[in-house]
Amino acid sequence: MSEKETPAEIERGYHLIAGRAARAGVEGAVDSGEISIEDLRQVAKEMFEFYGEDIREEHIRGLLSEADQGDGGEDGAGDGQISMDEFMIVLKKAGVF
């Protein structure tokens, strides 16, 4: 990847992650079009299988919590999934683009 990614590249990356668990056949996983905890767990599993990088459950939950900005209702709590807008906000904060 280049130093700064374009919005189109970010969107492609998002769609590679969103629904990944369902595409991998994880029981109970659904492709909602947004990134779920199951999708993040699947990516973590693949990172371990292919690169030996162990991403712990606490880190996965932390990623979801940080990104899930509260488009789940009036209480301000998140909906448990990462929308494209939320994904873009986190990557902008990280200086990815």
Side-chain angles (χ1 to χ4, degrees):
M1 291 207 290
S2 64
E3 190 172 312
K4 296 284 184 177
E5 304 300 329
T6 67
E9 291 168 323
I10 300 296
E11 187 171 347
R12 279 194 300 274
Y14 177 84
H15 290 295
L16 283 172
I17 300 169
R20 190 169 198 95
R23 291 190 301 273
V26 173
E27 189 174 333
V30 239
D31 186 352
S32 67
E34 294 190 338
I35 297 172
S36 68
I37 189 130
E38 291 85 5
D39 295 326
L40 294 175
R41 286 179 181 139
Q42 182 62 31
V43 170
K45 177 183 175 196
E46 293 170 11
M47 293 290 290
F48 182 73
E49 289 172 354
F50 294 110
Y51 304 107
E53 186 172 338
D54 189 18
I55 303 171
R56 298 174 188 241
E57 179 70 18
E58 306 87 57
H59 189 69
I60 294 168
R61 289 182 180 279
L63 289 169
L64 181 65
S65 177
E66 178 183 348
D68 190 12
Q69 299 292 312
D71 49 5
E74 297 173 11
D75 61 358
D79 62 356
Q81 298 197 11
I82 302 169
S83 68
M84 174 63 84
D85 289 341
E86 292 167 333
F87 190 70
M88 297 292 261
I89 289 167
V90 168
L91 294 182
K92 281 181 184 177
K93 285 181 186 176
V96 173
F97 72 106

